[in-house]
Amino acid sequence: MTDFPERVFSGMQATGNLHLGNYLGAMLNWLRMQETHDCIYCVVDLHAITVWQDPQALAGNIREVTAAYIACGLDPEKSIIFNQSQVSAHAELAWVFNCVARLGWLNRMTQFKEKAGKDRENASIGLFVYPNLMAADILAYRATHVPVGEDQKQHLELSRDIAQKFNNDFAASIAAHGHGEAFFPLPKPMITGPATRVMSLRDGTRKMSKSEPSEYSRIDMTDDADTIAQKFRKARTDPEPLPSEPDGLKDRPEAENLVGIYAALAGMTKADVLKEYGGAQFSAFKPALSDLAVARLAPISTEMTRLKSDPAHIDGILADGAARAEAIAKPVMDAVKDIVGLLRTR
Ligand code: TYM
């Protein structure tokens, strides 16, 4: 198998405020990987429009998510930060992948089924082929590692299937164009930490999500201290005290979720948290959790407000990031065209 240099790619949708699930499930790993790898972090606006977005709000949301990235600690000097629609390779490669991926593969995507709901006939085609665009995002940079939350696992498997099928279908042409045995790497999902699937605070069996109507189901990155405390206070729990071992969290989804959130925020394992809080009632654990969340999130939210007051600065970061991203993706896209046999005369 061809060896590919390690490169990290990941993204979040430009649908406004980030929540604690995005932060603990993805961002913490993005920050860690930024220290050791070449990283590309994208604000995925083309994915956002697979469902209706108010045009004026969308532009604001792209800046908002960019501000959140930087406020969380992504460094635009070290990592490439840009919005997807500014680099045309994403849409171009997605088209090629629309022709590689099979209908049957996409029919199996559980997230489409969840998002389209009962009114499937009325869902956009974009929503259906959403995972193909995601594969294009990653593979336009021939990225090898993709830090994401648990909910993206199936999409990542599809990206690997698409990369593999492209490599197989075009094997002779790939070799003839001097790219060896494989043109695309099979990107690895990096799903690690104690909070890879942060659950709703109202229902421990549902994922914390932007689309959940109740604001009490999630902690937004911009929530102030009082709101955070109130949301944790109202979070659903069971009447038992916390166990002293992770095994005791089985069949206690709400308890498991809050312990996972604490562990991720504190940089501990669930086992360590339970060593400290085993036997404690939620009436004691919840205030400790709120204090910890406020201590971690308040500086981020202050920095976001500061950044958002200067949209030109954010636009400058996105422009610079897009130019650096394009410099990587354009040659990859040119090579794909050559491999597929799409004539380039300029
Ligand atoms: P999005 O915008 O829904 O979420 C961004 C990241 O946050 C993670 N996440 C969670 N992690 C733990 N618990 C939760 N409750 C939770 N909710 C969200 C997601 O797993 C994700 O890592 N399709 C992607 C965006 C995307 C992408 C890509 C990701 C587009 N192209 C290429 C990686 C590579 C999405 O909608 O994420």
Side-chain angles (χ1 to χ4, degrees), residues 136-249:
D137 296 339
I138 300 162
L139 295 170
Y141 304 91
R142 301 213 273 180
T144 52
H145 293 75
V146 186
V148 284
E150 173 76 35
D151 62 331
Q152 297 300 316
K153 192 166 178 234
Q154 195 186 33
H155 289 161
L156 261 294
E157 280 160 10
L158 186 90
S159 296
R160 293 167 68 88
D161 289 344
I162 290 174
Q164 182 71 67
K165 186 166 186 331
F166 183 94
N167 288 341
N168 291 348
D169 287 358
F170 296 101
S173 188
I174 288 168
H177 284 91
H179 299 294
E181 285 170 34
F183 183 71
F184 287 124
L186 307 186
K188 277 200 196 74
M190 309 289 295
I191 303 173
T192 58
T196 56
R197 189 171 176 82
V198 178
M199 308 310 277
S200 157
L201 299 181
R202 308 299 292 161
D203 176 353
T205 63
R206 293 171 66 87
K207 190 180 73 171
M208 184 179 285
S209 147
K210 253 179 260 192
S211 49
E212 193 66 34
S214 165
E215 286 190 7
Y216 281 93
S217 68
R218 66 182 165 269
I219 305 283
D220 286 321
M221 295 299 286
T222 47
D223 282 346
D224 61 25
D226 286 346
T227 311
I228 292 175
Q230 205 183 14
K231 286 179 175 177
F232 277 125
R233 210 164 35 240
K234 292 199 172 195
R236 188 163 145 185
T237 48
D238 57 42
E240 301 299 313
L242 284 172
S244 45
E245 309 270 334
D247 267 357
L249 292 170

Side-chain angles (χ1 to χ4, degrees), residues 257-280:
N257 190 37
L258 295 184
V259 170
I261 291 174
Y262 190 104
L265 283 169
M268 296 161 78
T269 62
K270 286 184 192 171
D272 288 338
V273 175
L274 293 177
K275 263 189 217 132
E276 208 173 313
Y277 286 98

Side-chain angles (χ1 to χ4, degrees), residues 9-15 19 21-26 30 44 47 84 111 115 130 133-135 137-138 146-152 155-156 195-199 207-210:
F9 183 98
S10 199
M12 294 193 192
Q13 292 210 52
T15 41
H19 56 69
N22 302 132
Y23 182 66
L24 301 180
W30 294 16
V44 299
H47 277 107
Q84 193 184 24
Q111 206 158 87
K115 285 195 183 170
Y130 177 115
L133 177 59
M134 202 168 142
D137 296 339
I138 300 162
V146 186
V148 284
E150 173 76 35
D151 62 331
Q152 297 300 316
H155 289 161
L156 261 294
T196 56
R197 189 171 176 82
V198 178
M199 308 310 277
K207 190 180 73 171
M208 184 179 285
S209 147
K210 253 179 260 192

